[in-house]
Amino acid sequence: FEAETLQQHVEMHMKSLEPKEVKMFETVTSPPSRGTPYFTKTVRMPVAASMGYWVNVGDYDAPGQLVHGARTEMQFMREAIHGRYFPLSGMNIAFRSVWWPWCQFIDVPRFDDIWQGFIWQKEAYRSGHCFNLDGPTVLHSRQSDVWANLRDEAKHLEANETLWREIHHSDATSYEALRALLPI
């Protein structure tokens, strides 16, 4: 998955922005109960953004970095998803310009891309789009200062625990109204 050149990286993200099959039907018994489709359990959806991952130094928050160490290998979910929230990282994403302003970072240290991602996910899911988490990987070799990160993150860790849920349950549909839900 790792691109060797910038051109390959761009090409891999462009391919990841093409419509994807998303698992939308869940088998809840084993063996499958009556009413479970045998074959068709996916829906083809347009992609709001392609997110790739990073190898070498994980994208941990400060508590995670203190517990796991920055170089502990991360395992990545590599599929297209719809309707579930996740921490969208701005370190390795691609999207089409039609997603402005949903894709703009929010000025909150250490949560700028994460909270922007919660708002964007709400709108993308509402409009029938998915996120493809199978973009190209990049080499991440910079380990930021864990203590500075902890100071920045401590201000918002509690709010981050429930913010995605507040955004999800909100009746708001405009960017401005959803952004007003942020504790900043």
Side-chain angles (χ1 to χ4, degrees):
F1 294 105
E2 193 169 345
E4 293 182 21
T5 67
L6 180 58
Q7 180 64 32
Q8 287 175 327
H9 185 82
V10 170
E11 289 170 3
M12 292 169 86
H13 263 308
M14 292 304 293
K15 184 173 170 50
S16 292
L17 285 171
E18 295 172 5
K20 298 292 178 231
E21 292 292 322
V22 179
K23 182 180 176 189
M24 294 295 288
F25 193 95
E26 195 68 42
T27 301
V28 296
T29 61
S30 182
S33 61
R34 180 173 55 88
T36 302
Y38 287 99
F39 303 106
T40 307
K41 297 179 184 178
T42 63
V43 173
R44 191 163 188 78
M45 298 182 120
V47 173
S50 162
M51 186 178 92
Y53 293 102
W54 41 94
V55 294
N56 191 38
V57 174
D59 188 17
Y60 290 105
D61 59 12
Q65 186 176 338
L66 288 169
V67 171
H68 304 293
R71 295 197 182 271
T72 299
E73 185 177 340
M74 288 185 148
Q75 302 298 312
F76 307 117
M77 179 181 178
R78 300 195 64 91
E79 63 186 55
I81 66 170
H82 174 80
R84 293 175 285 158
Y85 290 81
F86 63 94
L88 186 142
S89 171
M91 291 198 315
N92 184 10
I93 62 171
F95 52 88
R96 300 184 195 289
S97 61
V98 298
W99 284 103
W100 188 261
W102 304 97
C103 61
Q104 66 180 321
F105 287 2
I106 295 162
D107 189 22
V108 180
R110 302 290 295 162
F111 290 98
D112 51 355
D113 50 354
I114 305 302
W115 290 359
Q116 160 263 330
F118 294 160
I119 291 171
W120 190 0
Q121 288 163 54
K122 164 101 173 174
E123 174 58 17
Y125 299 153
R126 186 188 70 75
S127 64
H129 289 74
C130 67
F131 285 83
N132 186 10
L133 307 183
D134 196 23
T137 59
V138 294
L139 180 64
H140 182 224
S141 58
R142 187 180 139 259
Q143 182 176 2
S144 54
D145 182 331
V146 68
W147 302 112
N149 291 346
L150 186 58
R151 283 189 296 276
D152 285 338
E153 292 169 11
K155 300 169 196 166
H156 300 294
L157 280 174
E158 186 176 0
N160 190 65
E161 285 297 308
T162 58
L163 183 59
W164 68 269
R165 194 168 54 218
E166 293 168 29
I167 290 169
H168 174 74
H169 287 300
S170 172
D171 292 333
T173 57
S174 74
Y175 174 79
E176 294 79 16
L178 287 167
R179 184 158 185 203
L181 297 172
L182 302 181
I184 53 174

